[in-house]
């Protein structure tokens, strides 16, 4: 991880919290956040459930709050079952963006009791703590170790239609930096971005986020450079193809020359491997630039379980063969933004169980696959011409701009309408759709973290 401690809140949960904590009467209110944990180079807390403390059960004023202890008992029981961290969140209607002496004394009593009442396992920190929200939705949080030493949460991230970052050292909530400015570059240097797939489109996406100033870039790809890749993978050379150099190593070597201050982690594995999933989970943002549907399926579930904003891109150039010879049918591309708790790529029909089955058969049983195609059972089995670099660059720029628009809003009409975007360069047509335009089928993975089975897929448990 790029920082010691992070808290991530799904956008829909953040909106509900803001409505509950600021009901309009100018008095404090409370909620309990239940969080799964990722612990590697740092600590990442993922809000997976919330207990809203009923207003009528509290004694509330503009500067104080007393609420029933049974909410703590319920939170502790849930935390013990799933090994979760508890954050006690309350509002500061006055706008004070910090912890008061009253908050400190309350933590010393309440958080201490949560730690003492928890598991007998003393080898792991439970990382219980507290947080405050001020009008506008900014959150400041801290956690405690078993010795009751406090540790500030360095970043609270709320991912909805917009990507909001609340930095722990700020004394007051800051407005979002302007897109494309120096402040944007400085903030990007504090973020970790994963790019899954660094071939024709992914290598261009990775280079853009690198040159824009990302502090860490995690690249995941198992494949190596071949002659056929040289027309569309940035920084690849004939020597790389001859040496069968790994695509991630080619990017890392180029990044060292372009932006030596950026930390690059090269993961030469298929994203379905546990080590690759663990590496990508450390990132704040994830770009899916893959060709395979199984890999896209993994990225889809990874983003939900780890509360990562997912930016997915795809390009196709299907051809047809009329009497006069082969011609391009269209030059189409798609950019999807998937927010934690929103509709998934599966919900949007980007891939289906039937298409996943077709890809699996093509890889594991080509004879059976050919037979199923012949019988008409395998959809989407037509051949496609490889995308050329100019089309890849168009799509790669579109998906990175989608990220910029979400993190540093510049659209006149806002971001909500642009969850799913399609373009056809042959017809010069574009279309978009909102997140709500698709039926949602919750996976039960939201904020699950590393809960077994990993990503809700038992087959991953046996992967190295």
């Amino acid at each position: 991880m790029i920082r010691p401690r992070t808290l991530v809140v799904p956008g829909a949960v953040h909106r509900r919290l803001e409505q509950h904590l600021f009901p309009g009467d100018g008095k404090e209110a409370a909620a309990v956040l239940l969080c799964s944990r990722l612990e590697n180079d740092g600590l990442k807390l993922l809000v997976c459930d919330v207990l809203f403390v009923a207003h009528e059960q509290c004694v509330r004023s503009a500067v104080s709050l007393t609420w029933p202890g049974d909410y703590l008992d319920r939170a502790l029981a849930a935390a013990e079952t799933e090994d979760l961290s508890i954050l006690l969140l309350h509002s500061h209607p006055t706008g004070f963006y910090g912890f008061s002496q009253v908050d400190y004394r309350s933590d010393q009593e309440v958080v201490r009791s949560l730690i003492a009442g928890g598991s007998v396992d003393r080898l792991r920190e439970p990382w219980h703590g507290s947080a405050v929200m001020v009008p506008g939705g900014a959150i400041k949080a801290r956690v405690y170790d078993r010795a009751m030493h406090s540790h500030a949460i360095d970043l609270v991230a709320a991912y909805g239609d917009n990507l909001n970052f609340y930095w722990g050292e700020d004394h007051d909530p800051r407005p979002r930096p302007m897109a494309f400015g120096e402040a944007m570059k400085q903030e990007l240097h504090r973020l970790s971005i994963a790019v899954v797939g660094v071939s024709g489109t992914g290598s261009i996406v990775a280079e853009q986020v690198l040159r824009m100033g990302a502090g860490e870039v995690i690249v995941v790809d198992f494949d190596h450079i071949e002659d056929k890749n040289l027309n569309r993978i940035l920084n690849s050379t004939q020597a790389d193809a001859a040496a069968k150099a790994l695509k991630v190593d080619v990017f890392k070597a180029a990044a060292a020359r372009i932006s030596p201050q950026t930390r690059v982690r090269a993961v030469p594995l298929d994203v379905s491997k546990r080590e690759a999933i663990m590496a990508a989970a450390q990132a704040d943002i994830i770009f899916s630039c893959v060709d395979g549907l199984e890999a896209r399926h993994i990225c889809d579930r990874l983003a939900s379980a780890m509360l990562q904003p997912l930016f997915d891109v795809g390009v196709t150039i299907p051809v047809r063969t009329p009497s006069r010879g082969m011609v391009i049918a269209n030059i189409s591309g798609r950019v999807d933004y998937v927010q934690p708790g929103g509709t998934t790529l599966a919900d949007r029909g980007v891939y289906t169980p039937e298409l996943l089955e077709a890809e699996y058969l093509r890889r594991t049983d080509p004879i059976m696959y050919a037979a199923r195609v012949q019988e008409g059972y395998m959809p989407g089995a037509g051949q496609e011409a490889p995308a050329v670099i100019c089309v890849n660059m168009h799509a790669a720029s579109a998906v990175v701009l989608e990220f910029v628009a979400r993190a540093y809003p510049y659209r006149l009409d806002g971001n909500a309408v642009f969850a799913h975007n399609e373009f056809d360069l042959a017809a010069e047509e574009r279309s978009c759709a909102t997140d709500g335009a698709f039926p949602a089928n919750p996976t039960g993975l939201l904020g699950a973290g590393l809960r077994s089975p990993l990503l809700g897929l038992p087959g991953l448990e046996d992967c190295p």
Side-chain angles (χ1 to χ4, degrees):
M1 295 180 190
I2 198 169
R3 70 189 67 84
R5 288 165 292 276
T6 306
L7 170 65
V8 187
V9 187
V13 172
H14 185 260
R15 289 192 298 273
R16 290 176 60 201
L17 285 169
E18 193 172 2
Q19 292 167 359
H20 177 78
L21 295 178
F22 299 99
D25 58 8
K27 298 178 181 179
E28 292 189 3
V32 183
L33 308 182
L34 296 171
C35 310
S36 61
R37 295 188 300 274
L38 296 181
E39 297 180 79
N40 196 342
D41 296 335
L43 171 69
K44 185 184 287 189
L45 297 177
L46 311 173
V47 176
C48 58
D49 200 3
V50 177
L51 299 178
F52 293 94
V53 181
H55 299 146
E56 62 274 13
Q57 294 182 2
C58 303
V59 178
R60 304 167 58 228
S61 76
V63 294
S64 65
L65 176 71
T66 302
W67 42 292
D70 64 313
Y71 283 93
L72 299 180
D73 296 335
R74 289 165 54 191
L76 194 57
E80 286 291 286
T81 301
E82 300 290 343
D83 190 23
L84 304 176
S85 293
I86 299 170
L87 289 184
L88 309 176
L89 172 66
H90 69 282
S91 56
H92 278 177
T94 61
F96 176 61
Y97 194 48
F99 296 97
S100 67
Q101 286 300 313
V102 172
D103 295 334
Y104 175 78
R105 289 194 294 271
S106 175
D107 283 0
Q108 291 299 308
E109 177 182 347
V110 180
V111 176
R112 188 187 299 275
S113 69
L114 290 175
I115 294 174
S119 170
V120 295
D121 179 8
R122 300 292 171 175
L123 299 179
R124 298 182 61 191
E125 296 286 357
W127 295 120
H128 301 319
S130 63
V132 296
M133 179 186 282
V134 296
I139 297 175
K140 188 180 288 285
R142 60 187 176 186
V143 291
Y144 290 84
D145 58 28
R146 290 189 183 277
M148 284 303 293
H149 298 136
S150 68
H151 304 267
I153 296 292
D154 303 283
L155 169 65
V156 178
Y159 298 136
D161 289 332
N162 295 340
L163 309 182
N164 289 302
F165 304 106
Y166 306 115
W167 298 99
E169 75 275 11
D170 289 348
H171 297 294
D172 292 293
R174 288 190 290 180
R176 299 296 302 130
M178 184 180 70
F180 313 115
E182 183 61 29
M184 170 181 135
K185 184 176 181 180
Q186 291 174 358
E187 184 173 76
L188 285 175
H189 194 67
R190 307 176 74 175
L191 298 178
S192 174
I193 298 176
V195 180
V196 181
V198 283
S199 195
T201 304
S203 70
I204 304 168
V205 169
E207 180 135 347
Q208 285 183 86
V209 298
L210 174 75
R211 291 182 182 270
M212 287 164 56
E216 179 180 62
V217 181
I218 302 168
V219 285
V220 181
D221 199 314
F222 69 93
D223 209 356
H224 59 269
I225 300 290
E226 301 178 68
D227 286 334
K228 67 180 182 180
N229 303 140
L230 299 180
N231 69 344
R232 56 189 180 272
I233 296 182
L234 297 189
N235 302 300
S236 63
T237 67
Q238 189 65 57
D240 295 325
K244 297 187 181 301
L246 289 164
K247 293 176 181 178
V248 293
D249 288 345
V250 169
F251 173 77
K252 185 172 183 177
R257 299 189 299 270
I258 296 167
S259 181
Q261 69 274 21
T262 299
R263 175 183 173 185
V264 175
R265 181 173 180 186
V267 184
L269 296 169
D270 188 289
V271 73
S272 65
K273 302 300 183 184
R274 186 180 184 90
E275 183 181 338
I277 292 170
M278 296 287 286
Q282 311 305 312
D284 300 303
I285 313 294
I286 184 167
F287 285 88
S288 166
C289 309
V290 297
D291 295 326
L293 296 178
E294 182 184 11
R296 184 163 276 118
H297 176 54
I298 294 294
C299 289
D300 204 14
R301 298 179 77 86
L302 174 69
S304 182
M306 310 302 174
L307 301 188
Q308 294 168 301
L310 171 63
F311 296 86
D312 182 73
V313 60
V315 175
T316 59
I317 308 180
V319 298
R320 52 189 174 86
T321 311
S323 57
R324 68 180 185 274
M326 184 177 291
V327 297
I328 289 175
N330 57 48
I331 304 172
S332 60
R334 174 193 50 76
V335 169
D336 275 271
Y337 166 63
V338 177
Q339 60 178 279
T343 57
T344 64
L345 295 176
D347 292 333
R348 300 174 189 186
V350 173
Y351 62 88
T352 65
E354 293 78 15
L355 288 172
L356 287 171
E357 179 193 5
E359 182 176 272
Y360 177 77
L361 271 181
R362 183 168 56 186
R363 184 178 69 252
T364 60
D365 194 340
I367 296 175
M368 175 63 75
Y369 173 78
R372 296 292 296 276
V373 170
Q374 188 68 29
E375 294 165 5
Y377 290 127
M378 293 289 100
Q383 296 298 310
E384 293 181 351
V388 295
I389 192 169
C390 55
V391 180
N392 288 340
M393 284 195 164
H394 185 95
S397 179
V399 75
V400 173
L401 280 170
E402 188 63 39
F403 160 66
V404 174
R406 301 283 173 174
Y408 310 97
Y410 63 79
R411 283 177 169 136
L412 298 180
D413 295 327
N415 286 320
V417 73
F418 299 102
H420 176 81
N421 307 276
E422 296 182 356
F423 63 83
D424 182 345
L425 298 180
E428 290 293 351
E429 294 178 347
R430 299 178 185 275
S431 64
C432 58
T434 65
D435 185 75
F438 304 93
N441 297 285
T443 62
L445 285 175
L446 189 66
L450 301 177
R451 185 179 68 204
S452 183
L454 185 61
L455 306 189
L457 300 172
L460 294 181
E461 294 299 293
D462 298 326
C463 291

